Amino acid sequence: MIQPQSVGVVSAQRARFTEPLQLKSGGSLPEYELVYETYGELNAARSNAVLVCHALSGSHHVAGHYAEDARDVGWWDNLVGPGKPLDTRKFFVIGVNNLGGCHGSTGPSSINPATGKMWGADFPFVTVEDWVAAQARLADALGIERFAAVIGGSLGGMQALSWTLQYPERVAHALVIASAPKLTAQNIAFNEVARQAILSDPDFHGGHYYEHGVVPARGLKLARMIGHITYLSDDAMGEKFGRSLRHGKAVYSYDVEFEIESYLRYQGDKFAGFFDANTYLLITKALDYFDPAFEYGGNLAAALARATADFLVVSFSTDWRFSPARSREIVYGLLHNRRNVSYAEIDCPAGHDSFLLDDAQYHALLAAYFDRIEV
Amino acid sequence: MIQPQSVGVVSAQRARFTEPLQLKSGGSLPEYELVYETYGELNAARSNAVLVCHALSGSHHVAGHYAEDARDVGWWDNLVGPGKPLDTRKFFVIGVNNLGGCHGSTGPSSINPATGKMWGADFPFVTVEDWVAAQARLADALGIERFAAVIGGSLGGMQALSWTLQYPERVAHALVIASAPKLTAQNIAFNEVARQAILSDPDFHGGHYYEHGVVPARGLKLARMIGHITYLSDDAMGEKFGRSLRHGKAVYSYDVEFEIESYLRYQGDKFAGFFDANTYLLITKALDYFDPAFEYGGNLAAALARATADFLVVSFSTDWRFSPARSREIVYGLLHNRRNVSYAEIDCPAGHDSFLLDDAQYHALLAAYFDRIEV
């Protein structure tokens, strides 16, 4: 046992792929780049690699910090590092920004080689399956034939699940956290409102706002505010903000009165300041489309028959975005196929966001699971 | 027993009040008008009046239809009429459009006598308590000293509750349905996103859009879409729309793909076509502010000590906007004061919207309760 440590200073790398990538939507990307980070060392047998898949607002920057900004810490830094649950003394950990993203991988703000201009709204629709296919090529480039594990939370969990279906022989363990086998109508509804907020922003300009020197910040802010409501549980929001009034009493104004208003506006403004609206649209659509059982007439167990990995499925009691019942659908589908599945519902008050937190029980579970993985 | 019938053709009436109304926000309205409708006959003892309070998008048009448009049926027509649970053969029923509304009562689109222009964003903030005070003046004008009952769902239930606190001697029975003693942080959060959608719409013009000949339709549409998500249960949305694809498969477009998207856009567009944005802002703030326990250090039981009415409190099992637990808070507060309270949690799949539906168990309960009221 050592005290958990940071992986320290990290830097992003870049891989270029010149063979066209066929996309599920029917189109293809002629060429693309992926930015990624790695932590730890790939062992001689190349058997200790773990792929971390990001969710809506995540990126390749999973752990550590950059030399030029010590505060720019990776989004899952509490999980990844020496002595942490995903221990970089044992594992070679890879974070990758997905296609269509806005953190460096080829996306709507990249140059479309056919036009010499930014892709903007012309960037093709990408799906979870496309992301996984692109990640597989990165694995090829890194000489990784088989991952010791693929892990992700939320939309990242969908990628981990999809890995076991698209490349069953390349995944030993899949960790599917706070996720679902497909969105519900209500999930899609929230995404749709977020999209309409962006699409109807006059500064969106049909997705070609770059050329107008503006960004649809109003729409993006609203989209993020809606998202944040669904990331927190009602109770967590109540505990954190309650009905606290900034001025101690009602002042009858549309400025901030309740602290929850301040929180949402702050989160929305911050997000609108760095995130790309076209990427937001693409990612919400990827979420909506994900449904591996669709080709099997809705029979999830039939869809999961291809998976051969061992699974850890984790849900959180207060997650109402992807409730424990949604995780259990995955578990039942896997058990139907007699796969090795561990399942845990963690009692954590923080709602969907729990998967990002270092809840003691949750992290002990992940540590124990990673510990038993043979590399 | 008769077959339930419509109250038939109805017409709105108008009452003018020239004495200034002191508002909770500190300001006052120099004069105002309320539009209202009545159904049934006030008896000689003036003891059979029932006031129906509306929620966010409701109005004074509770039952029946207008001569000029048979399809313009009142919003609670399934409840009010001869042979219906709120039987107009027994009761004299009153619906009133609240102050600040956009259905005919004095509101933001009325003329501000001080300026000769529309009030717009200068219309004062109104609260549940102000609405009740204005309704009390209407009762005075109609010669009704004491209501046999005051009834409302959601925000309407808050008004019914507030009646028992502001004018305890004027209410014999209060029916508080699908309501809450105050909003949670999450409730406020949804309202805040809706408000930001309106306030940030370039067509809002600081609330003076009338003068610009536009309406903030984009913002109002988004606000309504968000609202609709919270009115339906996850399951009800799933049953009604599921993941049904309009084209049978993904077509990779931002046009309607899933039926739930179509429903939300339609509801949003329809609403933006007739509802006033300033009214929407005012009503969401009235919801946020409602908190009768605030003056009692958060002690709801202490706040409810003034109430002397008999109560029927009704909640719906799948209502996650105002869950059954919120209704039970009211029940506990009343029981603490040894008030007569009947409480029912109706098992209805439709979420918050259930209060508007004619669920058999729900309507049988209301019919039985109204039946036992002595007039």
Side-chain angles (χ1 to χ4, degrees), chain A residues 281-343:
Chain A
L281 294 174
L282 287 174
I283 295 185
T284 60
K285 289 299 274 190
L287 272 162
D288 290 4
Y289 290 136
F290 184 67
D291 183 8
F294 185 76
E295 299 165 43
Y296 295 83
N299 185 335
L300 182 62
L304 298 184
R306 277 178 293 172
T308 56
D310 288 354
F311 281 81
L312 174 63
V313 179
V314 181
S315 69
F316 298 94
S317 54
T318 57
D319 183 352
W320 62 279
R321 184 180 175 91
F322 295 147
S323 71
R326 311 307 316 284
S327 283
R328 288 196 295 268
E329 292 176 34
I330 298 172
V331 172
Y332 298 145
L334 291 167
L335 289 178
H336 181 86
N337 291 295
R338 299 177 179 280
R339 296 293 173 266
N340 293 324
V341 192
S342 300
Y343 172 65

Side-chain angles (χ1 to χ4, degrees), chain A residues 24-26 121 125-127 182-190 192-197 199-202 204 218 221-222 225-226 229-230 232-234 237-238 241-243 245 248-258 260-262 264-265 278 281-282 284-285 287-291 294 320, chain B residues 24-26 121 125-127 182-190 192-197 199-202 204 218 221-222 225-226 229-230 232-234 237-238 241-243 245 248-258 260-262 264-265 278 281-282 284-285 287-291 294 320:
Chain A
K24 200 179 174 190
S25 62
F125 282 90
V126 284
T127 62
K182 65 184 177 194
L183 297 197
T184 63
Q186 189 190 69
N187 293 146
I188 295 172
F190 279 118
E192 169 65 3
V193 180
R195 281 192 295 269
Q196 288 299 318
L199 293 166
S200 70
D201 186 326
F204 183 64
R218 286 172 295 230
K221 176 180 179 176
L222 291 171
M225 291 172 80
I226 295 164
I229 297 177
T230 69
L232 291 178
S233 70
D234 191 4
M237 215 178 242
F241 306 104
R243 293 178 50 90
L245 285 157
K249 59 173 186 171
V251 293
Y252 302 100
S253 148
Y254 294 120
D255 294 336
V256 166
E257 288 207 73
F258 295 95
I260 180 63
E261 298 172 323
S262 171
L264 289 178
R265 290 186 198 185
N278 281 316
L281 294 174
L282 287 174
T284 60
K285 289 299 274 190
L287 272 162
D288 290 4
Y289 290 136
F290 184 67
D291 183 8
F294 185 76
W320 62 279
Chain B
K24 200 179 175 191
S25 62
F125 282 89
V126 284
T127 62
K182 65 183 177 194
L183 298 196
T184 63
Q186 189 189 69
N187 294 146
I188 295 172
F190 279 117
E192 169 66 3
V193 179
R195 281 192 295 268
Q196 287 300 316
L199 293 166
S200 71
D201 186 326
F204 183 63
R218 286 171 296 230
K221 175 181 178 176
L222 291 171
M225 291 173 78
I226 295 164
I229 297 177
T230 70
L232 292 178
S233 70
D234 192 3
M237 217 179 241
F241 306 104
R243 293 178 50 89
L245 286 156
K249 59 174 185 171
V251 294
Y252 302 100
S253 148
Y254 294 119
D255 294 337
V256 166
E257 289 209 71
F258 294 94
I260 180 64
E261 297 172 323
S262 172
L264 289 177
R265 290 186 197 184
N278 281 318
L281 294 174
L282 287 175
T284 60
K285 289 299 274 190
L287 272 161
D288 290 5
Y289 290 135
F290 184 68
D291 183 8
F294 185 77
W320 62 279

Side-chain angles (χ1 to χ4, degrees), chain B residues 132 135 150 155:
Chain B
V132 168
Q135 291 160 3
V150 179
L155 176 56

